[in-house]
Amino acid sequence: MRSTRTTEGHDRGLELRDAIDRTGYYPDVVAEGVESAVAGEEIVAFFVHHEPTFERDEVRRHLSVAVLTPSRLILAHTDEHEGDDLLPEPYTSTSTEAVRLSSVRSVVVTRMVANPTAGPRPPAEAVMTIGWGGVSRLDLEPAGCNDPQCDADHGYTGVLASDDFSLRVSAAADGTDAVGGLLTFAEALSARTHAH
């Protein structure tokens, strides 16, 4: 389940709360965490994604909320947990991160279109990956040259990728609106980061 909205110059706070309420996943807890991180800024766009996670033989739920304000990207994640030694009763944990739009280095969008020879159609899946330098991944492989007889050590070559947040939605699992919603949010974020 997901929801998305984007509008310039009109705060979408009430719509965001409505989207969180519709998930039915601890809406007061989630909304409080998100509202605290937004800290009264105007909400330009948002995306709410509710998904199950599988842990051993149990299903746990996870909710991601992405909020775009005029100056920041807010990411909130809420998970449910069994009791443990410190908190014996079941509990939720909500983590929020606020990133200045000027810090966002990349917004990568991947669209998967089924049966592309059949003509234009909406993507069946979409992935949005946002990088701002908080988490970097280095992929290394041995370097070489074009000479097949060469046995010299050319060292390594690699790619340093920023991969701080990634979200994948599919029409089959999340509904067709979810894919379009993620793409709309990614477009709004990309346009805002371009302006900064």
Side-chain angles (χ1 to χ4, degrees):
M1 173 175 240
R2 57 97 311 263
S3 293
T4 187
R5 295 286 185 278
T6 180
T7 296
E8 295 293 322
H10 178 71
D11 188 10
R12 297 294 180 177
L14 293 176
E15 291 176 55
L16 172 57
R17 178 58 201 249
D18 184 53
I20 291 170
D21 286 346
R22 282 196 311 271
T23 69
Y25 180 72
Y26 308 111
D28 292 335
V29 171
V30 172
E32 183 180 1
V34 171
E35 289 166 12
S36 175
V38 169
E41 269 199 282
E42 174 192 348
I43 295 173
V44 175
F46 64 85
F47 186 79
V48 176
H49 187 245
H50 186 199
E51 61 184 325
T53 56
F54 300 94
E55 195 174 287
R56 293 183 298 278
D57 57 349
E58 296 180 13
V59 178
R60 297 200 192 288
R61 297 177 298 167
H62 175 83
L63 187 72
S64 298
V65 180
V67 177
L68 180 61
T69 76
S71 65
R72 298 179 301 149
L73 168 67
I74 311 292
L75 300 170
H77 301 280
T78 301
D79 291 284
E80 59 186 354
H81 307 276
E82 286 184 359
D84 55 33
D85 292 343
L86 295 175
L87 293 171
E89 295 185 31
Y91 64 95
T92 61
S93 63
T94 300
S95 301
T96 59
E97 184 166 9
V99 181
R100 287 188 321 270
L101 291 181
S102 60
S103 298
V104 175
R105 296 178 182 170
S106 64
V107 180
V108 180
V109 178
T110 305
R111 296 167 174 83
M112 286 73 101
V113 177
N115 195 13
T117 58
R121 60 184 61 232
E125 292 189 18
V127 180
M128 175 183 68
T129 302
I130 305 167
W132 58 88
V135 177
S136 295
R137 183 182 73 248
L138 182 61
D139 296 325
L140 289 176
E141 62 183 35
C145 68
N146 293 331
D147 181 357
Q149 304 300 317
C150 180
D151 61 358
D153 182 354
H154 293 282
Y156 288 87
T157 186
V159 175
L160 181 63
S162 181
D163 191 15
D164 295 300
F165 175 76
S166 189
L167 187 60
R168 180 176 186 157
V169 295
S170 74
D174 305 299
T176 54
D177 288 348
V179 177
L182 184 64
L183 295 174
T184 298
F185 181 84
E187 184 178 319
L189 174 60
S190 184
R192 283 271 173 173
T193 55
H194 175 70
H196 279 74

